[in-house]
Amino acid sequence: MRKSEIKQKNPVGRQLELFSPITGEPVMTPEGGTDTGSLTGVDLLSLLENQRTLTENILERIVDYGNLNRAYKQVARNDGSAGVDQMETKELGQWLGTNLNTLRNDILTERYQVSPVLKVEIRKPEGGIRILGIPTVKDRLIQQAIHQQMNRYYDPIFSESSYGFRPGRSAHQAIEQASKYIQAGSEWVVDIDLKKYFDTINHDRLMQRLSKGIGDKRLLRLIKAYLQAGLMNEGFTEQRTAGTPQGGPLSPLLSNIVLDELDKELERRGHNFCRYADDCNIYVKSKKAGERVMSSIVNFIEKKLKLKVNHAKSGVRHCSDVKFLGYTVLPEGMIRVADKSIDRLKFKIRAITRRNRGIKFETIIKELNSVITGWTNYFKLANVWLSLLEGLDGWIRRKLRCYRLKQCGRRYTIFKLLRSLGIPESKSWNVVMYSHGWWQMSKKTAVGYAMNNKWFSQMGLQSLYLRMKV
């Protein structure tokens, strides 16, 4: 398969266009076309200069009633936790009813004060901490309104190989494209891991890049205020000189603007690659070629973009040893669920089925079904090694048997449960009298007969294997 045949098409099947918010007409590229996915160098700078002219008064469009209304609906749909002012999402609509005009005027006259973001630490299943910054709902509204207007200009000029946080694009598309590259013979992967990417974005470089495409200096100052908003933790505010913490609607767009520079460099060099947010894989024919690419691209990232590469996690690997967006793509382009994704699923299941939770069995199944449904929807591209999920289904059922037995508590209550499920009296007594611990009891043949696959199906439990097999 030739390289030209495996380049991804636009996911919505049409040319990408920039529209002037003033005239409604397409903004032409220097060549006279509207497909901007491969613009680099002088052509891109020319387009950005034209964009800067069109955005000299973009702040007025950001605070337009219609744009703010769309932003409010999106913030309300996303819901989320309250920020430092403790205002809930459901309270925002009422607040806007009496303060909308004041808010619009304060933004336009640059009197609006950006609030600190609430620092939240999320423990990762594999260890380590992810820092989230939760803005107030008012700031989330404004950031969403900014995102909606800026995205009209920036998304069309982003790379065709960028899939994260973009309308009409998804992780599934990235995996499918990676599969095509590997199927075409590029089985070696330059796997680049950026160290604490969202926390280390260089503010000066980002603002310099934004100033090339945004003409409204009021908006630039407002974005800078959001970048520099402190992180509040237990009443104390930490000042920030770098990074854009995950949690606000504007952060994904800003991160894509930063890494679009990497995309353009990879395109200039003619590399096949897929990037989803800060997760970037480059596909090459040999390990030796991969090592050359790795050396030069790491140098570009660290010297030019001023970002840090996690050298311990980055490397040139065979595709079968790479985890990308939770998947592993095998030679010939076959796709399986990555080992770490299985481990994360088991971590969630253990948390849900903890025997000391003390909640209804039906609620446990409902929570599990939510996880199973979401997990299988995401990993629906997997087409090999599905038999592993049969064993995982059995492990889940045993965890549930253990939970149900623990609910009974006393031996006689367990005996009555087994009898009610059709187990003979003698076998029911054998289970309760000759078992040591809930986990061992859950493995008894009689318990398996009592709470068998049909019983779990009647209880409504979803099956990982059956959902993935469809």
Side-chain angles (χ1 to χ4, degrees), residues 82-102:
V84 296
D85 64 355
Q86 297 302 305
M87 181 186 289
E88 300 284 348
T89 308
K90 59 187 177 184
E91 301 173 73
L92 179 60
Q94 185 177 355
W95 184 87
L96 288 172
T98 55
N99 294 278
L100 179 56
N101 288 329
T102 301

Side-chain angles (χ1 to χ4, degrees), residues 16-223:
L16 295 169
E17 293 182 325
L18 284 173
F19 288 94
S20 165
I22 300 171
T23 66
E25 296 297 319
V27 177
M28 307 304 287
T29 69
E31 292 81 5
T34 54
D35 187 348
T36 61
S38 58
L39 282 177
T40 57
V42 176
D43 294 339
L44 181 61
L45 289 175
S46 177
L47 182 60
L48 289 173
E49 186 176 342
N50 188 31
Q51 177 180 302
R52 188 167 64 245
T53 302
L54 292 171
T55 56
E56 286 180 349
N57 295 298
I58 193 175
L59 200 58
E60 274 75 11
R61 296 194 293 276
I62 287 170
V63 299
D64 174 80
Y65 289 109
N67 190 56
L68 286 174
N69 185 50
R70 290 193 298 275
Y72 167 72
K73 289 179 179 178
Q74 185 61 48
V75 170
R77 277 195 297 269
N78 292 341
D79 199 9
S81 304
V84 296
D85 64 355
Q86 297 302 305
M87 181 186 289
E88 300 284 348
T89 308
K90 59 187 177 184
E91 301 173 73
L92 179 60
Q94 185 177 355
W95 184 87
L96 288 172
T98 55
N99 294 278
L100 179 56
N101 288 329
T102 301
L103 176 65
R104 295 177 70 245
N105 188 58
D106 285 348
I107 294 171
L108 290 172
T109 57
E110 300 187 75
R111 291 199 300 265
Y112 181 78
Q113 295 295 312
V114 171
S115 298
V117 296
L118 184 64
K119 183 178 180 180
V120 178
E121 295 184 348
I122 305 296
R123 189 170 297 279
K124 299 178 183 179
E126 67 274 16
I129 298 292
R130 175 180 288 111
I131 296 177
L132 299 182
I134 310 300
T136 64
V137 288
K138 287 181 282 187
D139 282 327
R140 294 210 290 272
L141 170 74
I142 298 168
Q143 287 191 34
Q144 179 63 34
I146 294 171
H147 182 283
Q148 289 169 181
Q149 288 297 315
M150 283 181 57
N151 205 53
R152 298 176 63 203
Y153 294 96
Y154 281 99
D155 190 80
I157 61 176
F158 285 155
S159 169
E160 286 290 293
S161 298
S162 168
Y163 297 89
F165 309 121
R166 297 182 61 190
R169 289 177 174 259
S170 68
H172 287 163
Q173 291 174 342
I175 295 299
E176 288 171 335
Q177 183 60 54
S179 175
K180 291 177 183 176
Y181 287 142
I182 291 169
Q183 191 173 3
S186 297
E187 293 186 5
W188 287 91
V189 183
V190 180
D191 187 8
I192 299 174
D193 184 271
L194 298 179
K195 191 173 184 179
K196 296 183 177 179
Y197 169 64
F198 283 90
D199 300 331
T200 58
I201 291 175
N202 186 288
H203 288 178
D204 291 337
R205 288 204 85 259
L206 174 55
M207 293 308 303
Q208 182 183 37
R209 192 159 180 81
L210 288 175
S211 67
K212 293 177 181 179
I214 296 176
D216 196 326
K217 294 184 178 179
R218 296 169 300 172
L219 175 58
L220 291 173
R221 287 190 286 267
L222 180 57
I223 291 173

Side-chain angles (χ1 to χ4, degrees), residues 276-296:
Y276 191 98
D278 58 332
D279 205 347
C280 182
N281 282 353
I282 306 166
Y283 300 89
V284 295
K285 299 286 186 180
S286 68
K287 185 176 183 180
K288 189 174 181 180
E291 288 169 348
R292 288 197 302 268
V293 172
M294 169 67 81
S295 177
S296 61

Side-chain angles (χ1 to χ4, degrees), residues 223-397:
I223 291 173
K224 188 172 184 179
Y226 277 121
L227 288 174
Q228 296 179 338
L231 277 170
M232 183 170 285
N233 183 28
E234 297 181 351
F236 295 95
T237 302
E238 307 170 17
Q239 294 304 313
R240 289 189 293 128
T241 57
T244 169
Q246 300 174 72
L250 195 53
S251 292
L253 175 60
L254 296 180
S255 73
N256 271 336
I257 290 172
V258 171
L259 288 179
D260 184 60
E261 201 168 351
L262 171 62
D263 298 341
K264 295 295 189 286
E265 179 66 16
L266 292 172
E267 288 177 341
R268 186 185 68 80
R269 300 185 187 192
H271 291 312
N272 292 327
F273 70 99
C274 294
R275 182 178 67 79
Y276 191 98
D278 58 332
D279 205 347
C280 182
N281 282 353
I282 306 166
Y283 300 89
V284 295
K285 299 286 186 180
S286 68
K287 185 176 183 180
K288 189 174 181 180
E291 288 169 348
R292 288 197 302 268
V293 172
M294 169 67 81
S295 177
S296 61
I297 290 300
V298 166
N299 185 64
F300 175 83
I301 291 171
E302 295 188 330
K303 298 291 176 61
K304 183 75 181 291
L305 302 186
K306 308 297 183 186
L307 296 170
K308 296 179 181 178
V309 173
N310 189 329
H311 293 269
K313 293 185 178 181
S314 301
V316 180
R317 304 180 177 96
H318 190 258
C319 60
S320 57
D321 296 322
V322 175
K323 178 181 76 72
F324 182 48
L325 302 177
Y327 286 91
T328 292
V329 183
L330 302 173
E332 308 300 327
M334 301 302 285
I335 302 169
R336 75 174 181 90
V337 180
D339 293 336
K340 286 188 177 180
S341 298
I342 297 289
D343 292 340
R344 288 183 178 183
L345 175 62
K346 293 175 76 172
F347 179 87
K348 290 181 180 178
I349 291 168
R350 286 190 186 97
I352 292 172
T353 58
R354 285 196 324 271
R355 296 194 292 271
N356 60 355
R357 290 191 69 194
I359 61 177
K360 290 182 178 180
F361 189 68
E362 292 78 4
T363 303
I364 295 291
I365 289 181
K366 186 177 180 181
E367 290 181 12
L368 281 174
N369 282 345
S370 178
V371 170
I372 289 169
T373 301
W375 194 89
T376 51
N377 284 344
Y378 180 76
F379 287 104
K380 63 185 179 182
L381 296 183
N383 51 25
V384 290
W385 294 22
L386 296 183
S387 59
L388 291 174
L389 300 180
E390 287 189 281
L392 197 51
D393 272 335
W395 177 74
I396 292 172
R397 289 191 293 268

